[in-house]
Amino acid sequence: MYPSRSTVHPVSNEVPEHPCVSPVSNQVFERRLIEKYIAENGADPMNGQPLSEDQLIDIKVSHPIRPKAPSSTSIPAILKALQDEWDAVMLHSFTLRQQLQTTRQELSHALYQHDAACRVIARLTKEVTAAREALATLKPQAGLVVAQAVASQPHAGGAGEPMEVSEQVGMIPEIIQKRGKTVPEELVRTEDLSKYRQVATHAGLHSASVPGILSLDLCPSDTNKVLTGGADKNVVVFDKKEEQIIATLKGHTKKVTSVIYHPSQSAATTIRVWSVTGGNCVQVVRAHEASVTGLSLHATGDYLLSSSEDQVTHTHETYFHPDGLIFGTGTADSQIKIWDLKERTNVANFPGHIGPVTSIAFSENGYYLATGAQDSSVKLWDLRKLKNFKTITLDNNYEVKSLVFDQSGTYLAVGGTDIRVYICKQWSEVLNFTEHTGVVTGVAFGEHAQFLTSSGMDRSLKFYSL
């Protein structure tokens, strides 16, 4: 016999927890209560017949659902139960609202991050596209042509055709690695560079009768070797370490306005190519009718670029790009032009200066072009975006005569009325030297910027370091 969920104890009127059956009356009892009754009376409480504990039969039932106590059926008890249930529902609802708010905040943050990432990706994609377009514009196909002055300057003989050279494939990787693509560990740190001071000065390199050092260059393979060109028509090779003149190269009939130190031989305007070790002129290049105003050596060392005033544009400055595939020129009519060597075409122009352009220089990483003019300013141009991104305004009537980046492209030196050194990217001034009594005509960095050297119209060659 299995009692239903509604079976109640006949005595206590409650659902028994441990039900059992009396075989005498066939009634279901709570074992605890019936055992107590039998112990006291020895009979079945329903009919009074004798009954013992051994006669009781246990009933196996599932966990019964006990009905609420009679006290729970009162109105106050029902209201309290309803209030408790309402409070539980409200607490659960509040918890859900908190979880919802937290989820919304997390979703909002995730959407913001996604939007920011999309914006960054769009900007980078735009910059990559612009860089590729700039590269396609500036980078010609492999191959080199010697360019004399701007595009085609006439020879002294009047042939008028530029000299052709065989097709090349540009610079080898070893040369590119040496042209400032990475910053060397040995490079002088900015905090140390800012402590540089004048450590030596040499005033007797050129004749005092016609004062002035007009040009300066260092030997690429040994920056202790200094080359100067003077108003006295001489070229002097000076050893910084030994503090003595190695050679004096004579032969020019006019002042020497530009010099370049080749790793194995040097050149000075007219154009004459000299053997430094032998001290003799090995070649004379008569490429221009007027004064040669600028020289630049190709990164491979095989080609020379010269500029002159023998054309309407009056080119004052010329400079090879470090990759050897393009070059820049600055003219008397304030123009800066970028040229394709192979095609001999003008691929970009940078207007903005006022007055003749007096100096130009490419950074060794190939990204930046620095230009100076008689408007007392230095402009920085981004070759990737083909635009001016920084203008350094100097003092009124400041004469910019020389611009040079160090071989890592970290520092830019400006020579003219005085000497100023700027750190690239920030373009903040870290050095200023005023020791020259005349206009500074040339500045150059030693290897890893271990020293700075300058020349001026006061006939002096100066060195600066710690």
Side-chain angles (χ1 to χ4, degrees), residues 50-323:
L51 179 65
S52 65
E53 292 182 10
D54 295 337
Q55 291 180 287
L56 297 175
I57 302 172
D58 289 326
I59 301 174
K60 294 182 178 181
V61 296
S62 59
H63 296 290
I65 298 176
R66 300 175 62 84
K68 292 184 178 181
S71 60
S72 299
T73 59
S74 64
I75 293 177
I78 294 173
L79 291 176
K80 183 179 183 305
L82 292 175
Q83 184 64 50
D84 292 342
E85 189 71 22
W86 173 259
D87 292 342
V89 171
M90 289 300 100
L91 180 61
H92 182 64
S93 177
F94 175 74
T95 303
L96 290 179
R97 285 200 303 271
Q98 280 189 319
Q99 293 176 349
L100 176 61
Q101 182 65 21
T102 302
T103 303
R104 282 179 174 173
Q105 290 178 346
E106 292 175 352
L107 178 59
S108 177
H109 183 65
L111 290 175
Y112 175 78
Q113 288 183 323
H114 179 267
D115 182 64
C118 290
R119 290 175 182 272
V120 171
I121 293 172
R123 178 175 58 81
L124 293 177
T125 302
K126 184 178 180 180
E127 289 181 359
V128 168
T129 302
R132 286 175 176 171
E133 291 176 354
L135 182 63
T137 302
L138 291 177
K139 187 174 182 181
Q141 296 177 354
L144 299 173
V145 174
V146 168
Q148 301 177 25
V150 184
S152 58
Q153 295 287 348
H155 293 267
E161 290 296 328
M163 180 173 61
E164 298 285 344
V165 297
S166 59
E167 292 285 330
Q168 301 289 333
V169 294
M171 294 186 294
I172 59 177
E174 288 77 4
I175 295 178
I176 295 177
Q177 291 176 0
K178 296 179 181 178
R179 299 291 291 187
K181 299 301 181 184
T182 57
V183 177
E185 295 181 358
E186 300 87 350
L187 181 70
V188 172
R189 296 177 300 177
T190 305
E191 54 267 29
D192 293 330
L193 184 71
S194 64
K195 301 175 183 176
Y196 276 18
R197 57 184 177 82
Q198 180 180 309
V199 294
T201 182
H202 304 277
L205 304 184
H206 290 268
S207 172
S209 60
V210 186
I213 299 177
L214 305 180
S215 51
L216 169 71
D217 195 27
L218 300 183
C219 177
S221 57
D222 181 6
T223 54
N224 284 308
K225 301 293 192 302
V226 185
L227 189 66
T228 61
D232 61 355
K233 309 173 188 177
N234 294 336
V235 177
V236 172
V237 184
F238 182 80
D239 191 311
K240 170 183 176 291
K241 189 174 182 181
E242 300 296 332
E243 296 189 343
Q244 65 181 9
I245 296 176
I246 298 175
T248 299
L249 312 176
K250 300 182 178 181
H252 286 286
T253 59
K254 294 184 179 181
K255 59 185 179 181
V256 181
T257 56
S258 183
V259 292
I260 288 182
Y261 207 129
H262 191 281
S264 59
Q265 56 190 358
S266 65
T269 134
T270 292
I271 303 165
R272 291 175 180 263
V273 181
W274 302 83
S275 170
V276 173
T277 55
N280 60 304
C281 178
V282 297
Q283 186 177 359
V284 178
V285 180
R286 302 185 183 279
H288 301 284
E289 295 176 352
S291 298
V292 177
T293 57
L295 295 175
S296 182
L297 190 65
H298 192 270
T300 61
D302 297 332
Y303 308 108
L304 181 68
L305 185 66
S306 64
S307 60
S308 174
E309 295 181 343
D310 53 6
Q311 284 288 314
V312 177
T313 54
H314 297 294
T315 303
H316 279 195
E317 285 295 321
T318 184
Y319 205 89
F320 269 117
H321 187 273
D323 68 6

Side-chain angles (χ1 to χ4, degrees), residues 8 22 301:
V8 296
S22 170

Side-chain angles (χ1 to χ4, degrees), residues 1-5 7 15-20 28 58-64:
M1 175 180 179
Y2 296 92
S4 67
R5 292 180 181 271
T7 301
V15 177
E17 293 183 2
H18 302 286
C20 59
V28 177
D58 289 326
I59 301 174
K60 294 182 178 181
V61 296
S62 59
H63 296 290

Side-chain angles (χ1 to χ4, degrees), residues 25 201 388 463:
S25 62
T201 182
N388 170 231
F463 295 93

